[in-house]
């Protein structure tokens, strides 16, 4: 069982501290949701977990299976079994979805362990069937001219093929209509059930959590996790919003 552990994480960018002591543990097979208002540090946490160079860790640790990864490059973290689904995936004109997936798989393998054509075809066929994706979709250029929903579907397809142990989804529901949202959420749920995927679903709204049910819920405000709970915390946010929680946390402090 893989484990992503974040200990007392402090992060700054451009001389401004954004994360101020985050503690969080996500294990294989667990579904976590991280919610918070705009500007609370959610995307900063996602990017820092994967080693984005614009974010400086000034204190604390990021550990994967007990080994610190603070100094590892993003591709090295990916090889360990971490995956980040972007809020705004970039287009790669001229590279088909299928070719991108094959190159990504081979990048995780040694030079003598490159995936064979038949093995890749079999895995891709299973993934598109599992996620209910049209096989023709994989012949299109990656994210080039894709709708918001198609971009996010491509991200979930990458997860199915790369089989990460822990995935971080950075506001994957951003800009999606209800049908695309349902498709993406159901894809995450299927990978959790079939592959034992552990996931940290980062979102501003609660609607994606209507379709993929987290076991653990965390509220991030002003760079700190101020409240933890289960699905009942999502229901409370739906009813009350963030202001009562901010007042409650302030009174407790």
């Amino acid at each position: 069982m893989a484990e992503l552990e974040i200990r007392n994480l402090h992060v700054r960018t451009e001389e401004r501290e954004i994360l101020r002591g985050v503690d969080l543990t996500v294990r294989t097979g667990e579904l976590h949701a991280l919610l918070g208002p705009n500007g609370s540090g959610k995307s900063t946490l996602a990017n820092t977990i994967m080693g984005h160079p614009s974010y400086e860790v000034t204190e604390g640790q990021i550990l994967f299976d007990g080994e610190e990864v603070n100094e590892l490059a993003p591709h090295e973290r990916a090889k360990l079994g971490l995956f980040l689904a972007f809020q705004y995936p970039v287009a790669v004109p001229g590279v088909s979805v299928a070719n991108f997936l094959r190159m990504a798989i081979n990048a995780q393998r040694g030079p003598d362990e490159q995936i064979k054509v038949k093995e890749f075809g079999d895995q891709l066929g299973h993934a598109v069937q599992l996620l209910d994706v049209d096989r023709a979709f994989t012949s299109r250029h990656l994210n080039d001219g894709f709708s918001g929903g198609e971009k996010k579907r491509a991200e979930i397809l990458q997860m199915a093929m790369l089989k990460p142990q822990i995935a971080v989804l950075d506001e994957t529901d951003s800009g999606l209509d209800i049908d695309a949202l349902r498709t993406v959420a159901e894809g995450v749920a299927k990978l959790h059930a079939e592959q034992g995927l552990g996931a940290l679903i980062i979102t501003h709204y609660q609607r994606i959590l209507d379709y993929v049910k987290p076991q653990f819920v965390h509220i991030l405000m002003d760079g700190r996790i101020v409240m933890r709970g289960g699905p009942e915390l999502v229901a409370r946010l739906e009813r009350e919003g963030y202001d009562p929680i901010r007042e409650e946390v302030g009174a407790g402090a």
Side-chain angles (χ1 to χ4, degrees), residues 3 6 44-45 48 54-55 63 68 74 77 88 94 97 152 155 159 167 194 206-207 209 216 222 230 247 253:
E3 180 181 85
I6 298 163
T44 294
L45 177 61
T48 303
S54 296
Y55 299 89
L63 301 105
E68 184 176 291
R77 303 184 194 204
Y88 302 109
V97 172
K152 302 305 172 68
E155 296 273 280
M159 287 168 49
E194 178 170 288
Q206 295 83 53
R207 58 180 189 160
L209 304 180
F216 308 94
D222 301 321
E247 293 172 4

Side-chain angles (χ1 to χ4, degrees), residues 130-150:
L130 176 69
L131 300 176
D132 194 24
V133 174
D134 188 337
R135 184 66 178 257
F137 177 78
T138 65
S139 298
R140 297 172 60 187
H141 294 172
L142 181 65
N143 295 328
D144 190 22
F146 282 16
S147 67
E150 288 172 331

Side-chain angles (χ1 to χ4, degrees), residues 109-122:
R109 300 185 175 202
D112 299 325
E113 301 173 334
Q114 302 292 281
I115 192 167
K116 300 293 190 291
V117 172
K118 185 179 186 305
E119 180 187 0
F120 175 77
D122 290 344

Side-chain angles (χ1 to χ4, degrees), residues 15 17 34 40 42 46-47 50 56 73 80 86 90 146 150 160 168 172 180-181 203 206 231 250:
E15 303 305 315
E17 187 175 41
L34 180 73
S40 58
K42 301 187 300 299
N47 283 292
M50 285 306 296
E56 178 189 359
L80 292 176
F86 293 104
V90 298
F146 282 16
E150 288 172 331
V168 180
T172 300
L181 177 69
T203 182
Q206 295 83 53

Side-chain angles (χ1 to χ4, degrees), residues 43 46-47 50 52 74 83-90 100 143 148 151-152 155 158-159 168-174:
S43 290
N47 283 292
M50 285 306 296
H52 194 296
F83 180 93
L84 173 62
F86 293 104
Q87 184 175 358
Y88 302 109
V90 298
F100 176 83
N143 295 328
K151 288 180 179 180
K152 302 305 172 68
E155 296 273 280
Q158 290 174 47
M159 287 168 49
V168 180
L169 289 81
D170 182 19
E171 301 204 24
T172 300
D173 52 343
S174 178

Side-chain angles (χ1 to χ4, degrees), residues 195-251:
Q195 299 179 2
L197 176 72
L200 176 62
I201 303 168
I202 297 174
T203 182
H204 176 68
Y205 301 104
Q206 295 83 53
R207 58 180 189 160
I208 190 172
L209 304 180
D210 291 334
Y211 302 102
V212 54
K213 303 294 186 182
Q215 302 152 288
F216 308 94
V217 179
H218 316 270
I219 306 298
L220 187 71
M221 288 184 175
D222 301 321
R224 297 183 179 89
I225 292 179
V226 298
M227 190 171 290
R228 305 175 193 267
E232 75 285 348
L233 196 49
V234 177
R236 178 180 173 183
L237 277 174
E238 190 74 39
R239 291 192 312 269
E240 303 176 7
Y242 290 107
D243 285 344
I245 291 177
R246 189 185 299 277
E247 293 172 4
E248 180 178 329
V249 170

Side-chain angles (χ1 to χ4, degrees), residues 68-87:
E68 184 176 291
V69 301
N70 289 37
E71 302 302 322
L72 295 186
H75 73 276
E76 294 172 314
R77 303 184 194 204
K79 282 186 176 181
L80 292 176
L82 284 171
F83 180 93
L84 173 62
F86 293 104
Q87 184 175 358

